[in-house]
Amino acid sequence: MAKISTEVSRTFSEYLLIPGLTDKTCFPQNVSLKAPLVSFKKGEEPSLELNIPFVSAIMQSVSGSEMGIALARNGGLSFIFGSQSIVDQSEMVRKVKKFKAGFVVSDSNLTPEHTLADVIDLKNQTGHATIGVTEDGSSNGKLLGIVTGRDYRPSRDPLDKKIKEFMTPFSKLVYGKLGITLNEANDIIWDNKLNSLPIIDENQKLHFFVFRKDYESHKEHPNELSDANKKLIVGAGINSRDYKDRVPALIEAGADVLCIDSSDGYSEWQKDTLQWIKKEYNGEVKVGAGNVVDKEGFLYLAKAGADFIKVGIGGGSICITREQKGIGRGQATSIIDVAAARDEYFEQTGTYIPICSDGGIVQDYHMVLALAMGADFLMMGRYFARFDESPTRKLMINNRYVKEYWGEGSNRARNWQRYDMGGSENLKFEEGVDSYVPYAGKLKDNLDITLGKMRSTMCSCGVTSIKQLKEEGKITIVSATSIVEGGAHDVILKDANM
């Protein structure tokens, strides 16, 4: 007969956090939510670290370029969904990397002989209001002027008017010399009340633009997750079928980290994928794997070279893997088991491999519970699908606004690669549903509330960091009766319409 585990498979809702001593250092502004994203050696720092412990799920209905930008600006990271063409996914990665770069290579350039109609067409294509006017129309040609929305009036100026007749010529431009620091460039922008500053070399060739809005945006987003070149950090999902073609394209596009997207990561397919990537890129490309739910699955992927490991099968709000296949485990039990394996592996090898809790989050306090149980960061789909920045439509259903949300295992997504177990290339049966989630508005507004709750909860636990929460946090199992006790009870709630 099969091996039978007598341990109860538990969810986050079956636990509560026990308060710890809240000393005078425990106030929300003093709580750090930084978390390692990829593996590192004992005594060293991870090469990639999150400023908040959130990543968005590798899903068509969640992680497009807009989500990638919004989440990175607020300290987290998106894994751009891989159930699309390699070209389209790579372009999404590029959009995130280009959004804010400090020194921005100009993508919108024309020559003096182009017309106002060309300016308007280019603006409509790219959304860029600042256009570099170069001798040959390239991003690195000799700079002859710039065009902004202040230089023309579409309602009055003829569309065949040449750019040289209305551009701001080079002689009137304030510019910076190549080699200038970002701080120096921002000082010039500030002192001269500019919106943008072109950066040129000794031959007057255009190299970059520095924009005022990037400086102001950074001040509004102090947790922004960016690389050494001030570009936003972004991840990308891959599968174990076309990785030899997809991975090079994503790396060329600028992806900072990859993740194999699969409902079941305990497989030789993932081992082959990990080992190929590590060999092909000399271990420099960081890649996560999963999903697993126990020690054996974790150790298999750890030894195969995974830089982080996702935990959870069947706990997502749109996932029906447990219902369809009877495969899975309660998310809380999975995290506790895998975290213990991760800590044991760290003691034995000196390599710390972060684990990502994927699924099972219903309430905001579940996020803190998952971290206390040993998760380093959380991957969420439903939470992010509700926001303006998700790729789906906002609809009015039964007099309330909703956003579409569907699983990668649904017929709508047709992401057969995620559930691939070899054989023919098709979706044999559904492991996800097509649904709606209540529309919630902008990501930042909601995220600020969630992070505020998390910091407050951690203060009540007497801790000011995720590491301290893991080491000193206290958790208790709750009964069905105490779950009822925890909500509003024995009162008549006021009707909002009364």
Side-chain angles (χ1 to χ4, degrees), residues 201-494:
D201 62 18
E202 65 276 6
N203 297 317
Q204 202 176 313
K205 288 193 172 183
L206 177 64
H207 282 260
F208 306 107
F209 275 103
V210 178
F211 294 96
R212 173 188 286 267
K213 65 179 177 64
D214 285 347
Y215 173 82
E216 294 173 343
S217 173
H218 179 69
K219 294 301 180 183
E220 293 171 1
H221 297 83
N223 283 327
E224 190 171 88
L225 194 65
S226 55
D227 61 22
N229 296 315
K230 304 299 182 183
K231 295 181 180 181
L232 296 179
I233 290 179
V234 64
I238 60 173
N239 63 67
S240 56
R241 281 271 185 164
D242 66 4
Y243 59 91
K244 292 182 181 179
D245 296 319
R246 190 173 293 269
V247 169
L250 293 172
I251 297 304
E252 191 277 330
D256 298 280
V257 59
L258 305 175
C259 184
I260 305 172
D261 182 31
S262 174
S263 65
D264 179 8
Y266 192 7
S267 77
E268 291 186 344
W269 307 112
Q270 291 216 10
K271 179 182 178 181
D272 291 347
T273 305
L274 287 167
Q275 292 183 339
W276 182 86
I277 294 171
K278 291 301 177 181
K279 181 179 179 181
E280 190 74 12
Y281 292 94
N282 299 314
E284 295 179 3
V285 170
K286 302 301 180 182
V287 54
N291 288 19
V292 299
V293 294
D294 61 8
K295 176 180 179 178
E296 287 76 13
F298 170 84
L299 291 176
Y300 185 82
L301 293 178
K303 292 172 183 177
D307 289 294
F308 66 86
I309 294 173
K310 288 203 294 148
V311 179
I313 294 177
S317 61
I318 42 70
C319 183
I320 54 174
T321 294
R322 296 180 194 173
E323 178 182 317
Q324 291 280 51
K325 296 167 62 175
I327 296 290
R329 199 180 193 188
Q331 189 67 9
T333 303
S334 299
I335 291 296
I336 292 169
D337 192 7
V338 174
R342 184 266 322 277
D343 293 343
E344 182 182 345
Y345 185 84
F346 180 46
E347 288 300 317
Q348 293 175 350
T349 67
T351 298
Y352 186 92
I353 301 177
I355 61 174
C356 168
S357 177
D358 180 14
I361 300 293
V362 179
Q363 307 292 342
D364 285 355
Y365 78 88
H366 290 172
M367 301 173 187
V368 183
L369 269 171
L371 297 171
M373 289 173 177
D376 293 283
F377 59 97
L378 316 175
M379 176 174 280
M380 296 182 289
R382 180 189 60 85
Y383 179 85
F384 291 113
R386 304 172 301 145
F387 304 144
D388 286 325
E389 294 83 357
S390 73
T392 63
R393 295 182 298 169
K394 184 174 89 172
L395 305 170
M396 175 73 81
I397 304 289
N398 295 329
N399 294 318
R400 64 184 301 190
Y401 283 110
V402 297
K403 291 271 284 185
E404 295 176 301
Y405 181 46
W406 60 90
E408 289 297 292
S410 67
N411 269 318
R412 181 169 185 173
R414 299 210 62 79
N415 184 9
W416 63 267
Q417 294 97 333
R418 188 175 199 273
Y419 303 87
D420 180 35
M421 299 183 74
S424 60
E425 301 180 4
N426 57 63
L427 192 65
K428 299 172 180 67
F429 55 88
E430 291 187 274
E431 293 188 46
V433 299
D434 199 339
S435 63
Y436 302 109
V437 288
Y439 168 68
K442 291 189 178 298
L443 177 143
K444 188 178 189 309
D445 296 339
N446 290 274
L447 190 60
D448 286 346
I449 294 171
T450 296
L451 296 176
K453 287 182 186 179
M454 293 178 67
R455 291 187 173 101
S456 180
T457 300
M458 289 171 66
C459 287
S460 293
C461 292
V463 302
T464 56
S465 71
I466 295 174
K467 183 176 185 294
Q468 191 182 8
L469 175 68
K470 292 177 183 177
E471 294 172 349
E472 302 176 19
K474 295 179 290 184
I475 299 170
T476 182
I477 297 175
V478 298
S479 68
T481 304
S482 66
I483 292 174
V484 174
E485 180 187 61
H489 60 91
D490 300 322
V491 295
I492 300 172
L493 296 178
K494 293 181 178 180

Side-chain angles (χ1 to χ4, degrees), residues 125-141:
Q125 290 174 24
T126 65
H128 298 159
T130 300
I131 294 173
V133 184
T134 59
E135 196 170 53
D136 59 2
S138 72
S139 60
N140 193 227

Side-chain angles (χ1 to χ4, degrees), residues 42-109:
K42 184 179 291 188
E44 299 179 355
E45 295 294 322
S47 59
L48 289 173
E49 190 175 38
L50 298 164
N51 290 330
I52 62 171
F54 290 171
V55 299
S56 63
I58 310 170
M59 300 174 68
Q60 295 174 7
S61 56
V62 178
S63 295
S65 55
E66 285 190 47
M67 183 62 69
I69 291 167
L71 190 49
R73 294 179 77 194
N74 287 281
L77 177 136
S78 284
F79 285 94
I80 303 299
F81 69 91
S83 51
Q84 58 179 321
S85 74
I86 295 173
V87 171
D88 289 344
Q89 187 185 20
S90 299
E91 185 55 33
M92 284 190 178
V93 169
R94 287 190 183 91
K95 285 182 180 178
V96 179
K97 298 303 291 185
K98 289 178 180 178
F99 178 76
K100 180 187 181 301
F103 292 101
V104 180
V105 175
S106 180
D107 288 331
S108 299
N109 307 282

Side-chain angles (χ1 to χ4, degrees), residues 139-183:
S139 60
N140 193 227
K142 183 176 182 180
L143 183 65
L144 302 180
I146 64 171
V147 172
T148 70
R150 294 176 298 183
D151 293 317
Y152 59 88
R153 290 186 293 179
S155 60
R156 297 195 179 186
D157 292 329
L159 293 178
D160 60 354
K161 188 174 183 179
K162 294 288 183 70
I163 287 177
K164 62 186 178 184
E165 298 177 41
F166 60 87
M167 69 181 187
T168 301
F170 181 79
S171 60
K172 293 184 178 181
L173 292 179
V174 177
Y175 54 85
K177 288 294 185 72
L178 189 64
I180 191 174
T181 68
L182 188 58
N183 284 337

